[in-house]
Amino acid sequence: MTERPALLAHPDARRLASELAARPGAVAGAGLEVRRAAVALVLRPAVGKAGVEGLELLFIKRAEYPGDPWSGQVAFPGGRREPQDATLRETALRETWEETGVDVARDGVVLGTLDELWPRTPVLPPIVVRPYVAVVTPEVRLELSDEVAAAFWAPLDLLRHPDATFEATVVVRGEERRVPALRHADYTIWGMTERIFRDFLGRLAAS
């Protein structure tokens, strides 16, 4: 396992760790019939010619499957809790490794959690998602599963820029909707992923 002090060398990572330790994510009240899931916001230092220049955030684009309500969407690595997962933290780390090949337990450290949330669209399955924030070494390599069509590291500085925010037109179950969104390269980030990112951005600003 990578030493924690080295991973927290970047000021943003260090401040985030302090903020998330002081104010862990809120737990959603939900009945036993509601499925639980977890995702991971995986950060890595971006290393350029002048050394570490900023942090990058990992996103995936899900492969398209008939009947999958999140098919083809940009998301954070993650998925539903399975019986073998002792905790939702295990869920987040297992799904991240299975989908992207990034082993957070070996090459990184979990900084904390964001607020739990659930889909706003009534037709989506009843599920509560707990987001975990982690930072990994810049040397990690991606090995994508068949469930993932693509993956990319987005610089936080670009995602935080006002030009990255816009209102997108998306199609949900055959119906067009206008939704808050983020733009990065050719990717549109919206829905629950955009909401999780906004919570993350608020924590970063608070720290």
Side-chain angles (χ1 to χ4, degrees), residues 168-182:
T169 300
V170 300
V171 178
V172 180
R173 300 292 175 97
E175 177 185 336
E176 285 194 353
R177 297 186 181 184
R178 299 287 290 176
V179 297
L182 291 167

Side-chain angles (χ1 to χ4, degrees), residues 41-120:
L41 284 73
V42 181
L43 300 159
R44 73 169 183 181
V47 180
K49 293 181 180 179
V52 176
E53 299 176 349
L55 292 176
E56 297 176 320
L57 184 58
L58 178 62
F59 292 89
I60 64 172
K61 184 177 187 294
R62 299 203 171 278
E64 299 200 15
Y65 290 104
D68 180 358
W70 293 283
S71 176
Q73 293 186 17
V74 175
F76 296 114
R80 294 181 180 181
R81 182 175 182 176
E82 299 296 342
Q84 70 268 25
D85 299 330
T87 64
L88 284 168
R89 175 183 169 127
E90 286 191 14
T91 301
L93 270 56
R94 174 184 56 77
E95 288 280 351
T96 298
W97 178 75
E98 290 177 357
E99 292 179 341
T100 70
V102 175
D103 189 343
V104 176
R106 183 191 64 196
D107 298 322
V109 62
V110 175
L111 304 182
T113 59
L114 302 175
D115 293 347
E116 291 187 345
L117 70 170
W118 50 90
R120 287 177 173 166

